[in-house]
Amino acid sequence: MTTSQPGRPAPARPISSDTARRYEFRFDPVFRLPLALLGVRPGTAVVELDADTLTVRFGPWRLRTARSNITGVERAGPYRWWRVIGPHISQVDRGVSFGTTTTAGVCVRFASPVPALLPTARLRHPGLTVTVADPDGLVRALGAPSPG
């Protein structure tokens, strides 16, 4: 597994079946305490990408989908804090946001909507926004064809 120092993005490595890239969330200091009350801390928030799967852990919330389900990815932001900080559902398209900073993030679109916020699979999201420390690296990795 790739590791990084706090505040620094993990170095990119080629994706193979036995390695995964980890993308830590960037935490704005002003939002650390409110997010921690929700269970979202640097140790509980991460995006992982391997050859087959995108997995997001955001405190108690999880999102997992096959890389083949990803239809688009782009860098986005800056954001208004009330629209991105914490777990959110977009009122426009039902996409899910996992936000820890207003600076920048990555928007991912899915061919088939996926569950993330509710313990049941009834509510599904057609897209995902995450505010990782290395948005450009995540965009490159998600935009690259999966190996194999």
Side-chain angles (χ1 to χ4, degrees), residues 6 36 47 50 63 74 80 139-141:
V47 175
D50 65 25
L63 182 147
E74 62 188 78
R80 294 183 178 120
V139 166
R140 280 191 304 273

Side-chain angles (χ1 to χ4, degrees), residues 93-117:
D93 67 359
R94 293 185 353 266
V96 63
S97 295
F98 293 141
T100 54
T101 182
T102 59
T103 306
V106 176
C107 293
V108 183
R109 289 178 303 282
F110 305 121
S112 297
V114 298
L117 290 180

Side-chain angles (χ1 to χ4, degrees), residues 10-70:
R13 290 186 180 186
I15 299 172
S16 70
S17 60
D18 60 347
T19 63
R21 291 187 198 171
R22 291 177 54 92
Y23 296 88
E24 308 294 331
F25 278 75
R26 172 181 284 160
F27 281 78
D28 281 351
V30 70
F31 302 118
R32 277 186 180 255
L33 179 58
L35 288 167
L37 294 173
L38 295 173
V40 179
R41 298 178 300 281
T44 66
V46 68
V47 175
E48 293 183 321
L49 181 66
D50 65 25
D52 301 314
T53 309
L54 168 69
T55 305
V56 181
R57 179 177 177 208
F58 193 72
W61 295 277
R62 304 283 186 278
L63 182 147
R64 184 179 170 129
T65 191
R67 284 190 68 187
S68 60
N69 192 36
I70 297 170

Side-chain angles (χ1 to χ4, degrees), residues 113-127:
V114 298
L117 290 180
L118 297 179
T120 67
R122 297 190 90 165
L123 178 62
R124 294 177 169 267
H125 309 283

Side-chain angles (χ1 to χ4, degrees), residues 75-81 83-84 101-107 129-131:
R75 184 184 168 121
Y79 306 102
R80 294 183 178 120
W81 72 266
R83 291 194 177 178
V84 73
T101 182
T102 59
T103 306
V106 176
C107 293
T129 299
V130 289
T131 57

